[in-house]
Amino acid sequence: MKHDELDAALDSFGDALASATRVTPGNALRPEDIAVDGIAPGEDVAQYALTLGDDALILAQRVANWISRAPELEEDVALGNIALDVLGHARSFLTYAGLAWDKTEDDLAYWREEEEFTSLWIVEQPNGHFGVTIVRQLIVSIFQHLLYQKLATSQDETLAAIAAKAVKEVDYHRDHAIQWTIRLGQGTKESAEKMRHALEILWPYVDEMFRDEAVHQNLESIAVLPSTLREAWQEEISAVLAEAGLEIPATGQAMAYGRRGEHSEHLGYLLAEMQVLARKHPGASW
Amino acid sequence: MPQNKHRARSPNMSQQNNWPLWEVFVRSSRGLSHVHAGSLHAPDAQMAVRNARDLYTRRNEGVSLWVVKSTDIISSDPDEKDSFFESPQGKDYRHATYYKASEGVKHL
């Protein structure tokens, strides 16, 4: 280490202010940067970015509901971090999609109706007990991790950049969900039973994640075809569930078509809560 | 283990919390030591490292984390502060500045 490097390291040593203002290099793609660069995507790419943004936005809203309600303070912070990470992904995807229609991320988040949201049913499912939230996170994080890994090589540079940043964060969300799944599955009789219950509630929304839709057409080497992720996902989640002593439940699959704007009864309530403030005070900022 | 002397710290901070308490040490940069950053609750060691990551490295503070069960830390007894820490008083000869460099000694 050179002297000036050492000095810089020592300057921040034990100094909370120094660390709070330090920025990670190479980790700096923010929604604001996307808006400033202003390279608008084509209609097809924008529609695709919207689906990814909607998944992230609705999941973030759900997970954020745990804040102040998690079983322990430490878990509260963990879930809060995860919600904020995912919200960050939503902001980037929605900002990028909005450039095609001259709309901001807020326009898209707060001023669309339920049938205009293209998110998957799995992300709008209620938090339930802690086990339900963990299983939902397990299912979605493994999916998003595989998806963003591939999307990071997309020919659309903005999508690739958003995915490259998101993949590291989702990797941690995945790990967090895996750790809890194993502990709860192997934990007490009650925790294992609750995990089985959670898997039964959520498994019906698995098939929808991997269904190729119209939005994925005409985007070869830009979009990731969901069906191509199924095998790796199945392998990974099966291994986790096996370690946790849990099984894939034998449930049917829901007729879920969130990508087409058809949603379960839960999304309307979620949106009402998420959008009420922005709609009551249009243009307000704080 | 002798009572009062070299007492392990009690994890009994919260009656409702069944998770043990862990002490967190963060290394802020390569080449530096791990420094005590605070404590947290976690069900086991692996989760303690993850919780530490969330609680103590959010703003890029660290490159390495240690967690130690609080009950595994043996601390000095505050009541013995005098005999433990004040005995060096008046023993100036323990400091290098006590000594004068002799005339003619180079490279000091």
Side-chain angles (χ1 to χ4, degrees):
Chain A
M1 191 185 253
K2 288 187 203 134
H3 271 298
D4 50 343
E5 282 176 306
L6 186 65
D7 282 349
L10 288 169
D11 277 348
S12 63
F13 187 60
D15 180 354
L17 282 175
S19 60
T21 53
R22 226 187 298 164
V23 175
T24 327
N27 198 16
L29 182 79
R30 301 165 306 152
E32 290 81 358
D33 301 329
I34 296 168
V36 168
D37 282 354
I39 306 164
E43 177 67 22
D44 290 346
V45 175
Q47 289 292 349
Y48 177 61
L50 189 69
T51 65
L52 301 179
D54 283 350
D55 285 350
L57 179 65
I58 303 303
L59 182 65
Q61 180 72 10
R62 276 287 187 233
V63 178
N65 260 304
W66 274 101
I67 291 171
S68 83
R69 284 161 173 72
E72 297 287 345
L73 184 63
E74 286 77 3
E75 190 54 30
D76 221 85
V77 176
L79 289 171
N81 271 342
I82 290 171
L84 285 172
D85 284 349
V86 179
L87 184 65
H89 308 160
R91 293 188 55 204
S92 293
F93 284 126
L94 293 182
T95 298
Y96 186 46
L99 291 176
W101 311 305
D102 204 19
K103 286 186 187 298
T104 66
E105 47 176 317
D106 283 1
D107 292 337
L108 293 173
Y110 297 130
W111 296 94
R112 277 184 301 154
E113 304 300 321
E114 182 185 331
E115 65 273 14
E116 294 174 274
F117 276 82
T118 61
S119 45
L120 297 164
W121 282 34
I122 182 86
V123 293
E124 70 203 42
Q125 296 310 306
N127 285 341
H129 55 67
F130 186 66
V132 175
T133 290
I134 289 300
V135 170
R136 188 183 61 206
Q137 206 61 41
L138 181 77
I139 290 172
V140 177
S141 297
I142 295 178
F143 171 73
Q144 284 181 329
H145 186 240
L146 294 166
L147 171 66
Y148 293 156
Q149 271 180 318
K150 272 202 176 177
L151 192 62
T153 64
S154 168
Q155 277 184 9
D156 185 292
E157 281 178 23
T158 308
L159 287 181
I162 298 170
K165 177 177 185 274
V167 74
K168 284 175 274 177
E169 296 172 349
V170 172
D171 192 15
Y172 180 73
H173 308 164
R174 178 178 142 270
D175 177 68
H176 177 264
I178 290 173
Q179 297 299 327
W180 271 120
T181 301
I182 292 167
R183 278 163 184 76
L184 295 171
Q186 293 180 351
T188 63
K189 228 177 178 180
E190 189 187 350
S191 73
E193 188 47 53
K194 284 190 163 178
M195 288 302 273
R196 275 192 286 277
H197 170 239
L199 281 162
E200 266 172 33
I201 293 178
L202 294 170
W203 208 262
Y205 309 110
V206 164
D207 276 8
E208 187 201 8
M209 298 194 299
F210 300 102
R211 194 188 302 124
D212 299 335
E213 289 275 356
V215 70
H216 303 111
Q217 308 295 316
N218 308 323
L219 289 175
E220 206 184 328
S221 59
I222 291 177
V224 178
L225 269 183
S227 58
T228 60
L229 305 172
R230 178 90 202 218
E231 205 182 318
W233 182 87
Q234 193 84 24
E235 211 169 282
E236 198 174 330
I237 201 163
S238 300
V240 175
L241 294 180
E243 193 179 344
L246 299 165
E247 281 170 13
I248 291 175
T251 59
Q253 287 296 314
M255 299 281 282
Y257 291 96
R259 294 284 186 242
R260 305 176 193 176
E262 297 169 21
H263 291 282
S264 66
E265 68 271 30
H266 305 295
L267 185 64
Y269 295 102
L270 182 151
L271 291 179
E273 191 176 53
M274 187 179 82
Q275 296 178 332
V276 64
L277 195 65
R279 291 187 176 210
K280 203 157 188 183
H281 304 281
S285 64
W286 54 88
Chain B
M1 193 167 71
Q3 288 290 312
N4 297 326
K5 219 177 185 184
H6 309 308
R7 202 165 34 182
R9 282 165 57 175
S10 163
N12 232 1
M13 310 251 316
S14 147
Q15 290 298 323
Q16 292 189 323
N17 197 317
N18 297 319
W19 290 358
L21 191 68
W22 303 76
E23 300 300 326
V24 180
F25 299 80
V26 181
R27 178 197 289 251
S28 62
S29 173
R30 254 192 82 213
L32 299 175
S33 323
H34 286 76
V35 171
H36 187 232
S39 55
L40 53 78
H41 290 98
D44 55 49
Q46 274 187 307
M47 292 305 284
V49 173
R50 285 167 176 81
N51 288 348
R53 176 252 190 208
D54 281 335
L55 287 164
Y56 294 106
T57 69
R58 294 194 61 184
R59 298 177 191 90
N60 228 21
E61 288 94 335
V63 293
S64 167
L65 278 171
W66 285 348
V67 294
V68 182
K69 249 190 192 158
S70 299
T71 48
D72 287 342
I73 290 184
I74 314 300
S75 63
S76 58
D77 189 337
D79 297 339
E80 293 181 356
K81 192 163 79 72
D82 291 353
S83 53
F84 247 71
F85 299 115
E86 286 187 18
S87 68
Q89 294 218 342
K91 295 173 184 167
D92 293 351
Y93 50 82
R94 289 186 179 177
H95 296 275
T97 49
Y98 176 80
Y99 300 95
K100 286 194 185 76
S102 304
E103 244 176 90
V105 177
K106 288 174 185 171
H107 313 303
L108 254 182

